[in-house]
Amino acid sequence: MDHANGSTSSQAPSQNEQGEEASTFRLKFCTVCASNQNRSMEGHLRLAQANFPVISFGTGSLVRLPGPTISQPNVYKFNETSYDSIYRELEAKDPRLYRANGLLNMLGRNRIIKWGPERWQDWQIGMPRLKHEKDKGSEGMEGGVADVVITCEERCWDAVIENLLDRGSPLNRPVHVINIDIKDNHEEASVGGGAIVDLANSLNKVAVEERDKIGAAAFDSGSAVGRSGFDERVPDVLAEWQERWPNLPATWTLAWF
Amino acid sequence: MAAPGKALTVGEQIQQLNNARKMVLENPAYYDKIVKGILPIIGPSSPIELRRWGAEFLAESLATPVLSSRDKENLTVAILDTLQLLVEGPNDDVLVFKSSVMAAASAYPIALRWIIHNSYHKESWEAMTAIKAKILQIWDTAPTPVRICCIKFVQRVILAQTASNGMEQKINGLDVSLAMIPPNHPLLDPRLLEAEAAGLLDRMLAVLQDNSSDALLVDATLNTLAILIRTRPSTSNRILNTVLGFNPLKLANSPLTPKTKVLIKSMEKTTRILLLHLHKRDPNNPMAGRIQQHIERLSRSRNEIFDDANRKRALVQPPGADYGEAKRQRTDNSAPQFHARPWVPGPQSLAAVFTLTNTPGLDGFDATQVPNELAAKITVKALATTSPQLLSQAVDAVRFRLRTLYAAAPPVQPPALNPDTQPLGVDEDDDDGYEPDYYVAEDTEQILNKLDSAPPEEPVGQAADASSALAPLGPFKLPPPPLVDPTVAIKVGQLASSRVFGPLPSLEEAAVRKHKAGINRLAASSYDRDSWLTLITRMATRSVAGLEDVSSGIKAEDARSALDRPQMSLSNMIRELLYNYVLEDWRRRIEVAVAWLCEEWYNDQVTKRGQLDAPLHYEKWALRLVDGFLNYITAQDKVLTRFLAEIPELSRALLGRLKSVCGDPTKIQLVLTTLLYLVMMRPPVREIALDTVAAIWLEYEEARPLASKYLIKWRPGFIESQQTGDAASSVMPVAT
């Protein structure tokens, strides 16, 4: 589960284990990349394995996978094509090529995580997700909302924020949207997946700490002592995380569902 | 189902509640029952876990997209009392309060719409108002996570209490707006609500106006503004101006810690995305230009801040010693020192003699690869900037090398030298026998010449003897130009002349016509169209005045078009073009024609005074112009009057052209009025004008009524003499 430049972050998982014992509270995550295939799915899997409720999306107009040449990508529709059918199609086309470039391996992994790639823009935020029981990380996501959205590329972050502005935030629910720049290849996705889990653990630890402060916030009386909250501590967590992962530049904002 | 909770532990109760929630998620029809069922359990006196769960569930239920607005109205009305209790309760838990405010934000527009249609139910509105008052009260003092939810609540209040442009989605009460409230509503006063919304907007924007560095509040605010700007026009300008005035990079003035970097990046990016979004959705907004500028400025500043940070880190790397040395060099180098590469005695390549640089890489550079123009440019620039001291040091260094070379190899050289170079005194090879300056200068030149063809490896000794080949170069002659066929020359000449007219369409009319400049004015003192035309007319009339071939000039009188003739002078070409230019739009260019004819007339007078037999142009071109106009003239064209009044000389032939126009009865009045004007205003031509009128009277029946009127006044007795039938002789000369 640990990863390449994880020497600096080796403390995070152990802290998490302690946290797990202390509380069962889990932040709900959503990972986003362009095609909901490589980076977001790596993050999805790793977060699910770390027992976080998680869903994932792509922000592209279509699912694009490399083809025999750079000008002939394999293109599929979001929400209508399953990972399994893509797997079988590519395997029939050129098993050697798609095994050698890692696509079949990736699709093989994806098809055991969930049914198929989903598009962010088509996601009905807040719609109950009860028919996804077999998806990894579906437990806890029944309400169809997330606390933290993690995108894997700046333009995906832009697309997510713009889309949220478009929707007009009807749910009145705050959501932290964090971008982590991860290059779109299998190795970087794997490193990025580890970084995402590290961030999730750090955030969850803070969230649990804040939840445990029962009754400490008598803000009505006007005392400003010890006042903080999960939302407020997100930038601190991110800054510390960025020090541990200097090669994965991050951007954060607080947006609304 | 939650009823038997009394005996259960909190954990078990939560488990039950979770099951109930799952049922609701599976089937929204249960919402009404279950929400109402749990309300007693989650009240302010319940354990904190239950209150948290309850508040969260209320927020979720009121926000869910599964329920229609109508279903939510019932739910909202049922919840309001509990929500009020939660909000006004002990307030000891951030999470309970946060969820309660979220629920209130979703409840507000639904409650407002419900009360619009059910004004009898005062209690609901009172509960909602109380909740609002409480939230507004704690807005500034609550912990930040609650404050951001207060911001969102306020945004929903503003959204509901301002007029909409109908561009929002009709979900979750986003479409509830001021216009829905009837003006005579017993509980709601639209004007008060609108004023409240305006006040709340100001309060909400204060965080941006104060340029807060609390990224959480700033982001939370910025991310609620898009829908207000888009769908509530009365708020747009206020919000946009505030956002454009907000500087998300203010924090950059403080030391850049990892956290401030996160905050700066976050606020900058959130601001930029909001503006980009607005620009994309409404590119025709009157503020679009400002928005775009602001976006660009933000990106630039951010790059500067973060690039700067990178650069600073890079600066640390070079050791301080280098820095100090560089500094010392600068101050010590008042007298530049030239360090030539040390000279190794023995056979050397020609290139090596001139290679002074110490940089090994430059040795391999083949200067012949550089194009000549470039080399020339580089040389000139380099010479201009080289200090004279350095240059003389370099020249001395080369001189020294050459001197040592020649000194070292005198016995080899004499036989190899060409006799042509002997006057240079190379033979007198004793050191004291030659003048270094003269000798070296000449020799350098020769070697340089040689350098063009010799490979750099060639030793100097052989290079020198090849220089003899350069001596007998004769004077260089350009090949003669090809002979020009006269017709080709004329065509090219015409082309050139036509280019004189090129600027006319693009030139501006003189803005203010300076009529008062009078005799002191200069003909072409400004670069406007009038000045250019003056230039053209003078080119036509004066450029070759007095130089024309007399015989061809006489023939030209007959030629219908000067362009047909092979030996056409420059003047005539321009005249022809000028004629065409005037006729293209003669009604408006009549002034040009007048100006031109004035120049022609003047020129003719000058010519008459000098050569007797030189060709005259005025009459010919005046006739052509009149013929040209008359083809197109209509009864309304008063410009004819003006033209004939203004040109300097009128002849019988010219006025005779007018007579022919009278063939068209519609133009008779124009012609006769013109002639009358001449009779009245130009006494010198009165007689010929009256002759023309008389001729018209004689020739055209239709013209008689008008013509006789003028004739009776200006030439009394004429008509009577005609009517007696024997006085035609006085008119005859006019009939051309």
Side-chain angles (χ1 to χ4, degrees):
Chain A
M1 156 139 189
D2 223 328
H3 33 71
N5 71 343
S7 57
T8 46
S9 65
S10 54
Q11 299 157 333
S14 62
Q15 283 170 350
N16 175 50
E17 278 152 30
Q18 290 163 3
E20 250 173 283
E21 288 158 24
S23 165
T24 54
F25 175 79
R26 303 307 260 167
L27 284 170
K28 296 184 277 293
F29 285 91
C30 170
T31 58
V32 178
C33 69
S35 287
N36 196 200
Q37 287 280 4
N38 183 27
R39 294 164 292 180
S40 60
M41 287 305 277
E42 178 75 22
H44 187 145
L45 178 65
R46 301 282 279 270
L47 286 171
Q49 285 169 343
N51 290 320
F52 284 106
V54 58
I55 49 176
S56 58
F57 295 96
T59 55
S61 50
L62 291 162
V63 177
R64 288 187 174 80
L65 293 176
T69 69
I70 197 155
S71 55
Q72 296 167 273
N74 289 299
V75 179
Y76 305 94
K77 282 190 173 165
F78 272 110
N79 311 330
E80 292 174 19
T81 326
S82 70
Y83 292 119
D84 188 51
S85 65
I86 301 175
Y87 183 98
R88 281 183 283 115
E89 187 187 313
L90 295 187
E91 194 183 31
K93 263 188 187 170
D94 190 344
R96 271 183 56 201
L97 169 68
Y98 294 115
R99 199 162 295 287
N101 68 9
L103 279 194
L104 289 181
N105 190 31
M106 180 186 79
L107 288 160
R109 172 199 70 191
N110 291 351
R111 62 182 176 175
I112 59 163
I113 298 174
K114 63 174 186 173
W115 183 79
E118 297 170 82
R119 186 157 185 255
W120 167 275
Q121 288 87 340
D122 300 329
W123 175 31
Q124 283 187 284
I125 302 171
M127 270 294 177
R129 287 174 70 94
L130 297 164
K131 290 180 183 143
H132 294 263
E133 283 159 337
K134 286 182 205 153
D135 292 4
K136 297 216 163 170
S138 65
E139 201 181 326
M141 288 305 300
E142 297 85 1
V145 289
D147 300 306
V148 180
V149 174
I150 297 178
T151 62
C152 301
E153 193 178 326
E154 182 122 348
R155 68 191 167 98
C156 298
W157 190 89
D158 294 359
V160 164
I161 299 297
E162 272 217 68
N163 178 253
L164 291 178
L165 294 179
D166 248 352
R167 293 178 190 235
S169 57
L171 305 194
N172 305 310
R173 188 187 164 91
V175 55
H176 295 272
V177 186
I178 299 172
N179 178 59
I180 299 175
D181 266 338
I182 302 171
K183 288 201 186 76
D184 196 1
N185 60 52
H186 301 303
E187 296 74 24
E188 296 286 335
S190 173
V191 173
I196 289 174
V197 173
D198 179 20
L199 180 61
N201 282 326
S202 314
L203 289 172
N204 202 67
K205 181 169 156 278
V206 168
V208 168
E209 278 173 23
E210 292 301 324
R211 281 186 89 83
D212 290 345
K213 284 186 192 168
I214 292 176
F219 49 84
D220 214 14
S221 62
S223 83
V225 185
R227 191 189 280 174
S228 62
F230 167 70
D231 299 313
E232 216 172 352
R233 289 176 66 184
V234 169
D236 301 87
V237 172
L238 192 64
E240 283 164 26
W241 177 91
Q242 185 74 86
E243 296 287 287
R244 294 200 293 276
W245 301 86
N247 295 324
L248 299 173
T251 315
W252 156 82
T253 194
L254 182 107
W256 298 94
F257 274 147
Chain B
M1 59 204 55
K6 292 261 161 32
L8 297 173
T9 65
V10 169
E12 284 166 332
Q13 267 184 310
I14 298 264
Q15 192 52 49
Q16 271 202 344
L17 288 170
N18 280 339
N19 289 338
R21 174 170 171 259
K22 212 163 252 179
M23 275 178 68
V24 178
L25 293 175
E26 271 166 16
N27 187 350
Y30 292 127
Y31 259 116
D32 197 46
K33 251 191 203 164
I34 289 182
V35 168
K36 284 173 184 163
I38 62 151
L39 286 177
I41 311 173
I42 60 169
S45 51
S46 306
I48 184 85
E49 290 86 353
L50 289 180
R51 276 189 287 140
R52 276 182 180 175
W53 191 96
E56 215 164 294
F57 182 66
L58 291 185
E60 182 185 63
S61 306
L62 290 181
T64 183
V66 177
L67 291 179
S68 71
S69 293
R70 190 127 329 263
D71 293 334
K72 274 190 196 159
E73 280 184 8
N74 292 330
L75 216 54
T76 305
V77 174
I79 283 172
L80 280 177
D81 287 337
T82 311
L83 202 56
Q84 189 183 352
L85 291 176
L86 283 173
V87 171
E88 291 180 340
N91 276 339
D92 55 354
D93 189 67
V94 172
L95 292 171
V96 173
F97 207 91
K98 199 178 151 186
S99 300
S100 305
V101 178
M102 278 158 64
S106 298
Y108 193 82
I110 307 290
L112 184 70
R113 183 166 52 194
W114 194 79
I115 218 71
I116 288 171
H117 301 299
N118 304 280
S119 53
Y120 62 88
H121 208 273
K122 250 185 175 169
E123 299 80 12
S124 306
W125 186 239
E126 276 162 8
M128 193 70 246
T129 316
I131 293 168
K132 176 163 74 175
K134 181 69 184 172
I135 291 173
L136 297 181
Q137 181 206 327
I138 55 118
W139 181 7
D140 289 331
T141 53
T144 316
V146 179
R147 287 179 72 186
I148 59 173
C149 292
C150 293
I151 291 170
K152 192 66 181 58
F153 173 82
V154 168
Q155 181 236 18
R156 293 308 293 262
V157 174
I158 298 169
L159 212 51
Q161 295 181 185
T162 45
S164 160
N165 62 2
M167 305 276 280
E168 69 278 315
Q169 283 180 290
K170 309 275 180 282
I171 49 162
N172 280 29
L174 288 180
D175 53 328
V176 174
S177 73
L178 194 67
M180 288 182 175
I181 305 168
N184 52 355
H185 195 279
L187 291 177
L188 307 169
D189 181 347
R191 280 170 307 163
L192 284 182
L193 293 179
E194 190 177 21
E196 184 193 36
L200 288 175
L201 180 64
D202 284 348
R203 213 176 136 189
M204 184 179 164
L205 294 175
V207 70
L208 299 180
Q209 226 143 25
D210 302 345
N211 226 3
S212 163
S213 297
D214 189 331
L216 198 68
L217 291 179
V218 168
D219 289 353
T221 308
L222 287 171
N223 281 321
T224 62
L225 296 178
I227 191 173
L228 282 173
I229 298 173
R230 277 183 356 234
T231 69
R232 299 295 185 270
S234 59
T235 67
S236 307
N237 277 342
R238 170 90 179 82
I239 298 178
L240 264 177
N241 279 319
T242 311
V243 173
L244 291 176
F246 171 68
N247 174 19
L249 298 163
K250 198 187 102 189
L251 256 189
N253 297 329
S254 55
L256 279 187
T257 65
K259 188 183 173 185
T260 50
K261 269 193 222 165
V262 169
L263 298 180
I264 294 169
K265 239 176 153 181
S266 171
M267 291 190 283
E268 187 273 334
K269 196 75 209 279
T270 308
T271 313
R272 189 144 48 96
I273 286 276
L274 171 66
L275 292 172
L276 274 171
H277 166 80
L278 294 171
H279 189 61
K280 229 187 261 175
R281 288 283 294 244
D282 185 13
N284 299 321
N285 188 304
M287 289 175 91
R290 271 183 75 194
I291 292 177
Q292 196 152 16
Q293 276 179 359
H294 198 73
I295 293 170
E296 281 162 20
R297 202 167 37 224
L298 279 181
S299 314
R300 249 200 325 272
S301 316
R302 191 188 75 145
N303 288 342
E304 270 167 28
I305 288 165
F306 288 104
D307 280 5
D308 240 23
N310 292 342
R311 255 183 263 129
K312 268 175 199 157
R313 218 172 297 146
L315 257 182
V316 184
Q317 285 176 347
D322 284 5
Y323 188 56
E325 199 180 295
K327 216 171 186 180
R328 213 174 305 128
Q329 265 181 0
R330 216 187 302 148
T331 49
D332 289 352
N333 256 15
S334 49
Q337 272 308 186
F338 183 82
H339 301 283
R341 166 200 292 212
W343 180 243
V344 189
Q348 292 282 338
S349 76
L350 183 61
V353 176
F354 286 90
T355 305
L356 299 171
T357 175
N358 286 312
T359 316
L362 281 176
D363 287 1
F365 181 69
D366 183 3
T368 59
Q369 298 291 322
V370 182
N372 284 343
E373 307 87 51
L374 187 65
K377 266 189 201 164
I378 293 172
T379 314
V380 171
K381 278 241 167 92
L383 281 177
T385 52
T386 308
S387 89
Q389 287 163 309
L390 274 182
L391 186 64
S392 65
Q393 281 173 24
V395 171
D396 284 345
V398 175
R399 277 181 185 162
F400 170 78
R401 288 178 180 186
L402 289 170
R403 217 176 297 151
T404 41
L405 258 186
Y406 282 107
V412 194
Q413 290 202 348
L417 281 174
N418 187 290
D420 289 354
T421 63
Q422 281 195 343
L424 298 178
V426 183
D427 269 358
E428 304 159 22
D429 53 359
D430 278 340
D431 273 353
D432 45 9
Y434 75 95
E435 301 165 46
D437 280 347
Y438 175 59
Y439 174 81
V440 171
E442 281 296 299
D443 203 66
T444 307
E445 201 170 54
Q446 288 167 358
I447 293 172
L448 276 174
N449 285 337
K450 182 65 198 123
L451 195 61
D452 289 338
S453 51
E457 292 77 23
E458 201 178 339
V460 167
Q462 288 165 29
D465 76 341
S467 63
S468 58
L470 299 167
L473 265 182
F476 178 74
K477 285 198 186 87
L478 280 170
L483 288 172
V484 182
D485 186 319
T487 53
V488 174
I490 284 173
K491 273 188 189 150
V492 174
Q494 281 172 4
L495 205 65
S497 313
S498 69
R499 291 186 58 187
V500 173
F501 287 79
L504 280 177
S506 60
L507 284 176
E508 291 172 18
E509 292 287 352
V512 184
R513 313 194 112 237
K514 291 177 186 158
H515 286 292
K516 291 181 180 168
I519 199 112
N520 292 325
R521 86 195 152 97
L522 291 168
S525 49
S526 61
Y527 191 62
D528 55 25
R529 194 182 293 162
D530 281 355
S531 304
W532 193 247
L533 278 168
T534 310
L535 191 78
I536 291 174
T537 50
R538 295 204 175 162
M539 263 168 87
T541 56
R542 296 191 201 171
S543 57
V544 291
L547 303 173
E548 284 160 302
D549 179 3
V550 175
S551 57
S552 76
I554 290 165
K555 269 187 233 154
E557 300 273 352
D558 312 326
R560 190 72 199 101
S561 163
L563 280 173
D564 300 335
R565 292 171 48 241
Q567 326 92 310
M568 216 175 80
S569 70
L570 171 70
S571 298
N572 281 338
M573 273 193 275
I574 294 182
R575 282 186 177 109
E576 194 67 36
L577 290 163
L578 197 53
Y579 172 75
N580 289 334
Y581 174 76
V582 170
L583 275 201
E584 264 172 30
D585 190 0
W586 59 276
R587 286 184 181 86
R588 285 206 278 154
R589 292 177 184 167
I590 208 85
E591 278 177 49
V592 180
V594 170
W596 173 27
L597 289 178
C598 287
E599 293 286 347
E600 290 287 10
W601 182 84
Y602 170 78
N603 192 43
D604 280 0
Q605 302 307 312
V606 174
T607 312
K608 275 182 201 161
R609 222 175 288 160
Q611 294 167 271
L612 283 174
D613 48 356
L616 300 177
H617 300 282
Y618 172 79
E619 180 75 8
K620 181 183 95 182
W621 288 103
L623 280 171
R624 276 196 70 187
L625 279 169
V626 171
D627 286 343
F629 304 152
L630 291 183
N631 285 335
Y632 305 106
I633 205 144
T634 65
Q636 286 78 38
D637 282 320
K638 298 250 168 58
V639 284
L640 179 72
T641 314
R642 192 175 147 207
F643 176 73
L644 290 177
E646 289 185 4
I647 59 173
E649 196 176 316
L650 292 169
S651 65
R652 276 175 197 280
L654 206 58
L655 294 182
R657 295 290 206 272
L658 287 181
K659 196 184 78 182
S660 55
V661 176
C662 293
D664 179 350
T666 59
K667 295 171 192 163
I668 287 172
Q669 187 177 3
L670 174 73
V671 169
L672 287 175
T673 318
T674 303
L675 287 168
L676 176 68
Y677 183 88
L678 293 177
V679 169
M680 290 164 69
M681 297 301 177
R682 287 186 79 164
V685 294
R686 183 174 292 163
E687 284 311 308
I688 55 172
L690 281 173
D691 287 349
T692 313
V693 176
I696 291 170
W697 186 87
L698 281 176
E699 202 159 322
Y700 300 102
E701 279 289 328
E702 295 92 335
R704 284 201 177 169
L706 195 60
S708 43
K709 206 171 112 192
Y710 298 155
L711 287 170
I712 289 165
K713 180 166 184 197
W714 291 100
R715 193 169 271 182
F718 170 76
I719 296 174
E720 290 79 356
S721 65
Q722 287 302 313
Q723 277 163 348
T724 52
D726 61 339
S729 60
S730 67
V731 183
M732 285 316 286
V734 183
T736 47

